[in-house]
């Protein structure tokens, strides 16, 4: 925290710092002498009527009465990362969009409207990278209209926790009543260490998701639209570990190679055969193929409550880069004000 020459803590932020990353210390129990302190780090998304709103890396919004502040300062806009390949949020967002392609898209300024008949929020949400070319209320009205014409609810995908992410937009959506339904994280790591984790013997690779692969895929009743999403991308590979008997495979996975990046998704294992290294074998086999195509870095997405997957990926050397969220339009909303 900021300490003056006289050794006192100081508040060195004002409402003019909205939009910047800050670190603040406040009293946990206002008015109580010798009370405990609480530290909060995140983006200052508003400062109105004596209350600060700070959005943490996770996307959680923290309300802090300014009367409780004892110290505060502006900090680096790029949170420190200890491991993993360097990457900007925008680079990863665009790579992720190409790895999970919608079947229909349209531009609204610099926003990308994406649709795929409702198959996953990622392929049926707005990717707001930049300026929509309209005031926010008008842009959101246009977004709702576009999705309504396709019989879909309107979703906006935002991100928090890295340089260039969208804490301010997230806060504005929440103020307008948009509902955050899902939060997940994008993790990054080196590709070669993943390839070295297992021999990958017994893993078959193919360019298309066949019936056996789909039999293990968690989303049942996959439609033609879903197959178009799964099979699309710069260089798509599917991995399969056959089961002991006829039927669904023991394990599957999907990888998309895009320049220096390899993305991993749909890594699933038969519940009866977990803890046997099958997920590691699938990812290692896909990583070796991606290395052969010139990739050097890897990324994947994991939901915040999936403890098993998070432990697996952390053990492979992956670390969190940023969080992302899907906001659904308010029910029966006639305006976004």
């Amino acid at each position: 925290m900021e300490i003056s020459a006289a050794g006192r803590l100081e508040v060195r932020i004002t409402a003019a710092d909205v939009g910047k990353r800050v670190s603040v210390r406040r009293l946990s129990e206002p008015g109580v002498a010798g009370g405990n302190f609480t530290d909060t780090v995140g983006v200052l998304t508003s400062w109105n009527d004596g209350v600060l709103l700070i959005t943490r890396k996770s996307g959680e919004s923290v309300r802090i009465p300014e009367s409780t502040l004892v110290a505060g300062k502006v900090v680096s806009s790029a949170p420190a990362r200890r491991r993993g390949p360097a990457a900007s949020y925008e680079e990863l967002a665009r790579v992720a969009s190409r790895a999970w392609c919608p079947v229909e898209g349209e531009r609204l300024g610099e926003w990308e409207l994406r649709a795929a008949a409702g198959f996953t929020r990622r392929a049926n949400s707005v990717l707001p990278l930049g300026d929509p070319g309209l005031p926010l209320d008008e842009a959101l009205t246009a977004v709702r209209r576009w999705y309504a014409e396709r019989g879909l609810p309107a979703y906006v995908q935002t991100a928090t926790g890295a340089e260039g992410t969208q804490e301010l937009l997230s806060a504005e959506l929440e103020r307008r009543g948009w509902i955050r339904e899902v939060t997940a994280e994008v993790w990054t790591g080196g590709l070669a260490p993943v390839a070295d984790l297992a021999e990958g013997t017994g893993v078959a690779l193919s360019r298309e998701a066949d019936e056996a692969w789909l039999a293990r895929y968690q989303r049942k009743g996959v439609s033609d639209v879903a197959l178009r999403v799964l099979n699309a991308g710069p260089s798509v590979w599917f991995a399969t570990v056959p089961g002991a008997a006829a039927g669904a495979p023991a394990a599957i996975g999907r990888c998309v190679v895009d320049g220096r990046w390899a993305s991993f998704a749909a890594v699933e294992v038969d519940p009866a055969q977990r803890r046997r290294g099958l997920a590691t074998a699938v990812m290692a086999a896909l990583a070796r193929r991606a290395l052969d195509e010139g990739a050097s870095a890897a990324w994947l997405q994991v939901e915040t409550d999936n403890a098993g997957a998070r432990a697996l990926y952390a053990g492979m050397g992956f670390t969190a880069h940023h969080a992302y969220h899907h906001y659904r339009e308010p029910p029966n909303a006639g305006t976004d004000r």
Side-chain angles (χ1 to χ4, degrees), residues 98 207 231-237 255-258 261 263 289 293:
R98 291 192 295 267
R207 282 296 198 178
N231 287 311
S235 179
V236 185
W237 289 97
C255 179
V256 179
V257 185
D258 185 353
W261 290 102
S263 74
R289 181 55 56 93
E293 294 190 9

Side-chain angles (χ1 to χ4, degrees), residues 5-222:
R8 295 188 301 271
L9 294 172
E10 293 186 348
V11 178
R12 295 190 176 182
I13 58 174
T14 70
D17 294 313
V18 168
K20 297 179 181 178
R21 183 176 168 82
V22 300
S23 176
V24 303
R25 173 167 292 179
R26 63 185 171 99
L27 282 169
S28 300
E29 300 180 60
V32 177
N36 294 327
F37 295 118
T38 298
D39 293 334
T40 303
V41 178
V43 173
L44 180 62
T45 49
S46 69
W47 190 334
N48 297 314
D49 300 322
V51 177
L52 292 73
L53 189 68
I54 295 177
T55 301
R56 290 175 166 162
K57 180 177 181 179
S58 64
E60 175 193 5
S61 294
V62 181
R63 295 173 60 85
I64 301 175
E66 65 179 50
S67 60
T68 67
L69 291 178
V70 295
K73 65 178 180 178
V74 174
V75 296
S76 171
S77 61
R81 299 184 63 251
R82 293 175 299 174
R83 294 183 292 167
S88 69
Y89 158 69
E90 182 174 346
E91 177 187 3
L92 280 171
R94 295 193 185 281
V95 169
S97 185
R98 291 192 295 267
W100 200 258
C101 296
V103 298
E104 182 181 6
E106 186 174 318
R107 305 294 300 188
L108 180 66
E110 295 177 298
W111 287 13
E112 181 182 351
L113 281 60
R114 306 173 294 182
F119 176 68
T120 72
R121 292 179 183 86
R122 279 186 284 162
N124 292 271
S125 57
V126 178
L127 185 61
L129 296 180
D131 187 347
L134 295 169
L136 182 58
D137 289 325
E138 294 180 28
L140 293 176
T141 296
V143 164
R144 292 201 311 271
R145 183 184 307 117
W146 193 83
Y147 283 97
E149 290 171 352
R150 289 153 180 80
L152 298 170
Y155 282 96
V156 177
Q157 178 181 308
T158 67
T160 56
E163 186 174 9
T165 47
Q166 299 134 334
E167 285 83 356
L168 289 174
L169 178 57
S170 297
E172 284 298 317
L173 290 171
E174 291 187 3
R175 188 175 70 82
R176 288 164 168 79
W178 286 62
I179 303 164
R180 186 172 67 179
E181 290 192 346
V182 172
T183 289
E185 291 176 344
V186 171
W187 288 26
T188 60
L191 187 61
V194 179
D196 292 339
L197 288 172
E199 292 296 326
T201 55
V203 181
L205 301 182
S206 64
R207 282 296 198 178
E208 294 185 352
D210 58 19
E211 291 185 6
W213 193 95
L214 293 171
R216 174 58 54 200
Y217 187 48
Q218 65 177 343
R219 296 181 183 273
K220 303 303 181 185
V222 176

